[in-house]
Amino acid sequence: MPLIHFTDLTIRQLNQGEAIPYELLLLADPSRTLMDAYLKNSRVYIAELTDTIIAVYVLCPVNDDNSSIEIKNIAVGIPFQNRGLGKILLAHAAEKAKENGFKNIIIGTANSSIGQIYLYQQQGFEIVTIRKDFFSKNYAEPIYENGIPAKHMLILKKKL
Ligand code: ACO
C-alpha cells in the first residue's frame, strides 16, 4: 500500500454541530456508552482526503492531572490503515497537546492490542502503568485480539 501523501490530507477539529464519525470511532472502541461519556469533555479531530473523513482521533484532558491529555480514541478507516496515517495522527495529537500547554500525552490500549502497543512505543510512548481489569470490568462482551483476551489497559505516556 502506498503511503498517503500529507499534501492531500487535511486534519482539523470537528466543528460543533458536525456529525461525529461514530463508524470510525467504533473501530477503536466497541463501547458507545464509554465513548459518549468521554466525548462530552473531548475535542475530536478528523482527517479528510478530498472531503471524505478517513480517520479520527479524540483528545481529552486527564481529570486528576492538569499536565496530561489523553488520546481516548484513534482510528483509521480500514482501506487506509497501514499507510502511515496513524503515525501522522499521533504526531498531530502531540503537537495540538503541546500547543495547548500540556506536558504529557498519554494513550491507553488493551494488553491484546499487539500492533498498537508496537506502534505507540515506536512513536515514543512508554508504558507507565496498567489499569488492571479495565476491559473485563467495563465491557459487556469479551474482547479477543490476536488470540488473547483483552483484560487490562496499558497506559503509555510521551513527554512533550
Ligand atoms: N496489527 C499489526 N500491526 C499494527 C496494527 C495492528 N492492529 N496497528 C498498527 N500496526 C503497526 C504496523 O505494523 C505498522 O508498523 P511499521 O510502520 O513498522 O510497518 C504501523 O503500526 C502502522 O503505522 P500506520 O500505518 O501509521 O498506522 P495506521 O494508519 O494503520 O493506524 C491504527 C494505526 C490507528 C491503530 C489503525 O490501524 C486503526 O485504526 N486500527 C483499528 C482501531 C484501533 O485499534 N485503534 C487504536 C485503539 S487504542 C485507542 O484508540 C486509544
Side-chain angles (χ1 to χ4, degrees), residues 11-25:
I11 305 174
R12 65 170 177 91
Q13 194 175 339
L14 195 71
N15 295 317
Q16 267 199 341
E18 278 189 289
I20 292 172
Y22 278 111
E23 251 179 64
L24 284 171
L25 294 172

Side-chain angles (χ1 to χ4, degrees), residues 32-126:
R32 178 75 190 252
T33 314
L34 288 183
M35 202 186 288
D36 281 335
Y38 59 68
L39 281 172
K40 282 183 197 144
N41 307 315
S42 301
R43 288 182 192 175
V44 178
Y45 289 85
I46 52 169
E48 291 171 310
L49 205 56
T50 52
D51 293 338
T52 304
I53 301 178
I54 61 165
V56 63
Y57 74 84
V58 175
L59 274 185
C60 184
V62 175
N63 271 343
D64 50 1
D65 175 1
N66 288 337
S67 63
S68 300
I69 194 161
E70 179 171 354
I71 301 174
K72 281 282 188 185
N73 189 309
I74 179 167
V76 173
I78 291 165
F80 300 97
Q81 288 178 7
N82 238 335
R83 296 168 68 180
L85 188 48
K87 287 173 198 158
I88 290 172
L89 295 183
L90 289 170
H92 192 271
E95 208 175 286
K96 288 289 149 199
K98 202 170 173 178
E99 266 174 35
N100 286 290
F102 291 94
K103 299 273 181 277
N104 308 293
I105 186 161
I106 68 170
I107 191 161
T109 196
N111 60 284
S112 50
S113 301
I114 305 302
Q116 291 82 341
I117 295 167
Y118 160 76
L119 173 64
Y120 303 153
Q121 290 185 97
Q122 193 199 44
Q123 296 306 302
F125 289 79
E126 277 185 37

